[in-house]
Amino acid sequence: MSTFPVQPYGEFLFTRARGAAARADLEEHLRQSDVLPMLTIDFVGVVAMTNSFADEFLGKFYTLLSAEGDAVEAVQLAGLNEETRDAVNVCLQRRKQFAVDAESHTLLGDAEVLTDTYQRALKLSAFRAAELAEELHISLPNANNRLKRLLEAGALRRERSAGPDRGGKEFIYSVPAF
């Protein structure tokens, strides 16, 4: 597990330039590490941030995370207060992204469709896509699409299982221990 503190960039975070600098440092932090099982982006000590800082720092980071996806297995945001949570929500909703809130174990941002899926995953802890589909009363392709989005945001982990004898890939999904 690794923690990236945001507070060294200031108590009041503003401007895209400052957000870009923080994101560049976060990306460098990830490059210097082996694959991390868990990354916590810690906002403790940050009083407020603008939407432009949040977008440059988090919005672009989550875009990179879903594109590359191999530097870190799971990501959570910690230490959010009401002000910073609002900025994060606006940023993620505008980009159609979402993140895991470490304290409440809920999804932030554009997560309306996925909230029930994530809550069911929390309840199941470890499961196959077919089990989740059955729990949610949705099709297997729909469950797989939802799981893919949760994986891309670092909200779930996935390991290949022994798989069926008939061929193909089968995975066991789990919620990271936050």
Side-chain angles (χ1 to χ4, degrees):
M1 183 164 143
S2 180
T3 300
F4 183 82
V6 183
Q7 195 280 329
Y9 301 92
E11 290 181 17
F12 298 94
L13 303 173
F14 55 93
T15 77
R16 286 196 174 275
R18 187 172 277 173
R23 188 185 73 255
D25 289 347
L26 174 56
E27 291 170 4
E28 182 60 28
H29 174 78
L30 292 176
R31 274 192 291 278
Q32 291 178 358
S33 304
D34 291 332
V35 174
L36 297 173
M38 169 66 69
L39 171 66
T40 299
I41 301 174
D42 189 1
F43 288 88
V44 168
V46 175
V47 175
M49 71 178 132
T50 62
N51 292 342
S52 60
F53 177 92
D55 183 63
E56 194 67 35
F57 176 60
L58 280 179
K60 290 187 177 179
F61 170 72
Y62 273 97
T63 298
L64 173 74
L65 184 67
S66 66
E68 294 187 9
D70 57 355
V72 63
E73 292 180 17
V75 179
Q76 63 181 354
L77 306 182
L80 295 168
N81 62 32
E82 188 175 337
E83 291 287 326
T84 55
R85 184 175 285 107
D86 285 347
V88 167
N89 268 319
V90 167
C91 162
L92 295 175
Q93 286 171 353
R94 286 180 179 169
R95 285 184 169 263
K96 305 265 187 248
Q97 298 169 327
F98 58 92
V100 176
D101 183 314
E103 282 83 19
S104 66
H105 300 289
T106 58
L107 298 179
L108 303 167
D110 186 40
E112 188 175 323
V113 170
L114 297 173
T115 297
D116 189 41
T117 305
Y118 183 69
Q119 291 303 313
R120 198 60 58 113
L122 281 170
K123 180 181 164 195
L124 292 171
S125 184
F127 55 91
R128 288 178 163 76
E131 294 167 325
L132 181 68
E134 186 177 312
E135 283 277 323
L136 293 170
H137 307 291
I138 60 176
S139 69
L140 183 56
N142 191 349
N144 280 319
N145 287 335
R146 292 180 186 194
L147 290 168
K148 179 181 177 190
R149 289 197 62 206
L150 289 167
L151 282 168
E152 288 173 348
L156 293 178
R157 289 188 181 152
R158 176 177 80 176
E159 291 181 27
R160 187 144 188 200
S161 73
D165 292 333
R166 63 187 179 280
K169 297 178 194 172
E170 190 168 43
F171 299 97
I172 301 291
Y173 296 86
S174 62
V175 177
F178 291 122

